[in-house]
Amino acid sequence: MTLIDTNVLLDLVTDDPVWAEWSIRQLEAASVKGPLSINDVVYAELSVRFERIEALDDVLDEAGITLAQMPRAALFLAGKAFQRYRAAGGGRNGVLPDFFIGAHAAVVGLPLLTRDVQRYRTYFPSLSLIAPET
């Protein structure tokens, strides 16, 4: 199973001129290896692009993406990672969802398909990332 980050799915939904093709290729490659999944945080972030829940669910169904519940240990780890981030001088805006997503993948041992690697590499160094070459 591969956990998918919001940015990859937004590339598809918005037909991003820079990233859509890369994201499609990565999703196809990951689907060959096993199931594709998102968590509640990704679902919530992605929902802002849809007027109706049924439309979002249809997109996920068509892509073969399931919703995986975050384990309590991942929730705890996300809070601790965010605490370290803030102690290191990190800002408050828009980062907590990344800690939930990274902690979920780390605790369950799933690879994470993402374009945003820096924070994941810093706070979840053992996390297996599927990301653009840097």
Side-chain angles (χ1 to χ4, degrees):
M1 183 182 308
T2 300
L3 190 64
I4 311 300
D5 198 359
T6 311
N7 55 61
V8 173
L9 296 174
L10 284 174
D11 291 344
L12 304 179
V13 171
T14 64
D15 195 23
D16 185 279
V18 175
W19 290 105
E21 287 186 35
W22 180 88
S23 293
I24 290 167
R25 284 194 313 273
Q26 298 308 312
L27 284 167
E28 289 173 349
S31 71
V32 170
K33 296 177 184 176
L36 303 176
S37 184
I38 62 171
N39 62 26
D40 298 335
V41 173
V42 174
Y43 188 94
E45 287 184 318
L46 193 57
S47 74
V48 301
R49 291 292 181 164
F50 294 86
E51 292 296 318
R52 300 179 59 234
I53 191 171
E54 295 84 2
L56 173 53
D57 289 346
D58 287 347
V59 167
L60 295 174
D61 287 343
E62 286 177 31
I65 298 171
T66 61
L67 187 61
Q69 185 175 8
M70 285 188 287
R72 193 169 65 207
L75 301 172
F76 187 84
L77 179 59
K80 294 303 177 187
F82 185 68
Q83 183 180 37
R84 286 194 323 271
Y85 167 81
R86 291 290 296 135
R92 294 180 187 257
N93 297 335
V95 298
L96 188 54
D98 289 346
F99 289 104
F100 284 116
I101 295 163
H104 184 180
V107 165
V108 180
L110 298 176
L112 176 62
L113 175 56
T114 185
R115 286 192 290 100
D116 299 331
V117 297
Q118 184 59 41
R119 193 172 298 123
Y120 293 125
R121 284 191 178 139
T122 300
Y123 292 94
F124 307 99
S126 65
L127 187 60
S128 173
L129 297 174
I130 304 167
E133 297 294 323
T134 56

